[in-house]
Amino acid sequence: MFDRDKWNEILEALSANTFRTILTAFGVFWGIFILVILLAAGNGLENGVKKGFSGIATNTMFMWTQGTSKAYKGLPQIRQFNFKNDDVPALKANFPDLLYVSPRNQLGGYQGANNVIRGTKTAAFTVYGDYPELIKQESMTIVNGRFVNQQDIVLKRKIAVIGQGVIDGLYEKTEQVIGTYIKINGVNFMVVGIYNSKSKNNGDAESAQKNIFIPFTTFQQAFNFGDTVGWMALTANDNASITLLKPKIFEFIKARHSIHPDDDRAIGNFDLFEEFSKVQGLFLILRFIAYFVGTLVLLSGVIGISNIMLIVVKERTKEIGIRRALGATPSAIRTQILTEAIFLTIIAGMFGIAVATGLLAVVNKILASMPSEDMMFANPSVDLKVVFIALLILIGSGLLAGFIPAQTAINVKPVDALRAE
């Protein structure tokens, strides 16, 4: 039940020395403010980094051949080998947890380029042979036309999907792109789609727009690749981990190509899921640091409140003695001191949360007005769960701040308190 006299007494006690009360409350205000800002900053950084992974199937691994380093079954120690077309259905049949197995080929080596001609214009671009599933594995959207489809694969159609970088190099600004032809290694391909990639391509976002995608089967036939597969993109189902499947996949491929089981050099790989897991682990550490630092700062404010409440108790020794002499129980005295400490802590803390929230709203408004494509910081915010945790911390802090002063108050003997000056 609401006790008006009791709350008037609390407000009078806290306002008796306003400046001291404000300075005391500032410690709690600053602690909770720092906690919220640190958590929001961590979320903003996490959102920005994860935005770079948007559209990418993170449970993915890329693997390629590198040449053997051990002799096996009468075969020489150093030899080259390639993945083959029949490796793809074999992997799908033996590993049901694989969602996509996409064989890929490329003209030129790693990050290589190939001359592409259109009319009198010539420019160098990277040319890939791919399956339709690739668009579900990479951060890519079709802005006009379409991507490679299954009929293109079956009929080995000479079609191409190009990026804005290719358009800038081969077309005039006002030209129609869809339906035109480009020539790759003397073979004409009709442009059926324009893509936009969100990939940074090792920090170079511009080069990610300078790729040409054609059907995998057309690539093999047009450029005399036979049944050679340059590398593969493998994506696991959501309920499986490509990192855990990886050793068994390597073992299976080594057995198919007569490679020594202990030859770790033969197959190269890049495990995107493993890298993504490391990033998530980093943000867990950052979140822990934010809670740790914010709690320490908040604790320093709580200690300040506890010290001031001890001084207040000492100043009110005679008052406490009179109340005890008039029949006030130790429980009533303890409740009074704890209530004052909790009230001051919660008011200061809620003000800190409000100021931090207002600052975050201003920061988000500024970020919204800025170009965000290359920004590694987005939407710094805290959710309701964090606010709830902060409230629990505040209540606990108030109890902690008032406990020692409250115990000191109830230990005062009425006779000694009445003699105090």
Side-chain angles (χ1 to χ4, degrees):
M1 183 179 293
F2 180 76
D3 189 337
R4 186 170 184 176
D5 292 336
K6 179 181 177 181
W7 281 101
N8 283 335
E9 186 178 346
I10 291 173
L11 293 175
E12 286 176 8
L14 294 177
S15 61
N17 193 326
T18 305
F19 185 69
R20 183 177 67 186
T21 300
I22 292 174
L23 287 180
T24 303
F26 181 78
V28 174
F29 161 83
W30 189 246
I32 204 71
F33 175 83
I34 291 296
L35 175 61
V36 172
I37 292 298
L38 284 176
L39 289 173
N43 283 339
L45 184 60
E46 184 175 359
N47 292 337
V49 172
K50 286 185 175 180
K51 185 175 67 174
F53 285 95
S54 63
I56 301 175
T58 53
N59 200 10
T60 296
M61 173 188 73
F62 302 92
M63 69 176 187
W64 57 89
T65 62
Q66 298 184 146
T68 63
S69 61
K70 294 179 182 291
Y72 189 60
K73 291 184 177 180
L75 297 170
Q77 177 182 353
I78 306 297
R79 65 184 175 89
Q80 297 297 320
F81 73 101
N82 292 301
F83 297 138
K84 299 297 182 181
N85 286 346
D86 56 6
D87 288 332
V88 176
L91 283 169
K92 291 179 178 178
N94 286 273
F95 296 92
D97 285 330
L98 288 178
L99 181 62
Y100 303 121
V101 180
S102 300
R104 305 194 68 186
N105 273 323
Q106 175 184 347
L107 284 181
Y110 173 65
Q111 291 188 332
N114 198 75
N115 283 342
V116 179
I117 301 171
R118 180 176 180 271
T120 59
K121 292 187 176 183
T122 302
F125 304 107
T126 305
V127 181
Y128 294 103
D130 281 302
Y131 269 76
E133 292 85 356
L134 180 76
I135 200 168
K136 299 176 181 178
Q137 296 173 284
E138 287 205 353
S139 181
M140 180 194 311
T141 56
I142 300 299
V143 296
N144 198 359
R146 64 176 179 83
F147 193 65
V148 175
N149 61 34
Q150 193 59 38
Q151 281 297 101
D152 297 328
I153 297 293
V154 173
L155 301 177
K156 300 180 182 179
R157 292 170 175 163
K158 295 183 177 66
I159 58 97
V161 180
I162 65 177
Q164 187 59 50
V166 180
I167 296 173
D168 293 341
L170 298 178
Y171 292 82
E172 300 296 336
K173 289 185 178 180
T174 58
E175 277 190 280
Q176 175 65 34
V177 176
I178 302 297
T180 61
Y181 287 84
I182 57 176
K183 184 175 290 187
I184 307 171
N185 277 10
V187 180
N188 285 312
F189 290 83
M190 185 175 73
V191 177
V192 297
I194 301 170
Y195 76 88
N196 178 53
S197 176
K198 299 177 184 177
S199 171
K200 297 295 185 297
N201 199 15
N202 295 322
D204 187 0
E206 184 179 350
S207 66
Q209 314 299 332
K210 295 183 177 181
N211 297 329
I212 299 174
F213 298 94
I214 67 175
F216 181 83
T217 51
T218 309
F219 186 104
Q220 287 185 320
Q221 184 180 67
F223 306 131
N224 298 317
F225 268 59
D227 67 343
T228 297
V229 175
W231 78 97
M232 298 186 197
L234 297 90
T235 301
N237 290 309
D238 291 339
N239 59 353
S241 166
I242 193 67
T243 302
L244 297 179
L245 289 173
K246 181 168 60 176
K248 296 179 181 179
I249 292 172
F250 289 168
E251 181 182 348
F252 177 75
I253 291 295
K254 287 175 183 178
R256 285 181 61 86
H257 292 272
S258 300
I259 298 169
H260 196 287
D262 298 328
D263 191 345
D264 296 328
R265 182 185 178 278
I267 301 174
N269 76 94
F270 176 75
D271 190 339
L272 185 59
F273 182 74
E274 189 174 44
E275 298 302 315
F276 185 70
S277 298
K278 290 178 182 177
V279 172
Q280 288 185 309
L282 173 63
F283 287 118
L284 285 176
I285 294 173
L286 289 177
R287 195 173 293 118
F288 170 78
I289 293 174
Y291 273 112
F292 182 73
V293 173
T295 302
L296 286 181
V297 177
L298 181 61
L299 183 61
S300 67
V302 171
I303 292 172
I305 287 182
S306 184
N307 288 334
I308 294 301
M309 292 303 296
L310 282 171
I311 296 173
V312 170
V313 168
K314 187 172 181 62
E315 291 175 347
R316 296 164 63 187
T317 301
K318 189 171 183 178
E319 174 199 328
I320 294 171
I322 293 172
R323 292 183 63 187
R324 292 290 304 276
L326 292 175
T329 63
S331 175
I333 300 297
R334 183 190 294 114
T335 301
Q336 178 78 15
I337 302 301
L338 286 175
T339 303
E340 290 178 13
I342 292 174
F343 179 74
L344 182 59
T345 303
I346 291 180
I347 291 298
M350 292 303 295
F351 187 61
I353 292 174
V355 173
T357 303
L359 178 61
L360 291 174
V362 172
V363 171
N364 275 300
K365 191 172 183 179
I366 293 172
L367 290 175
S369 65
M370 299 170 62
S372 60
E373 288 187 2
D374 298 324
M375 190 177 294
M376 299 299 290
F377 191 79
N379 190 28
S381 59
V382 291
D383 56 25
L384 289 176
K385 181 176 69 175
V386 174
V387 175
F388 180 71
I389 292 173
L391 287 173
L392 291 179
I393 292 174
L394 287 175
I395 294 171
S397 300
L399 289 171
L400 181 64
F403 180 76
I404 296 176
Q407 289 299 113
T408 302
I410 64 176
N411 289 332
V412 175
K413 295 180 180 180
V415 175
D416 295 335
L418 292 172
R419 282 202 297 258
E421 293 295 336

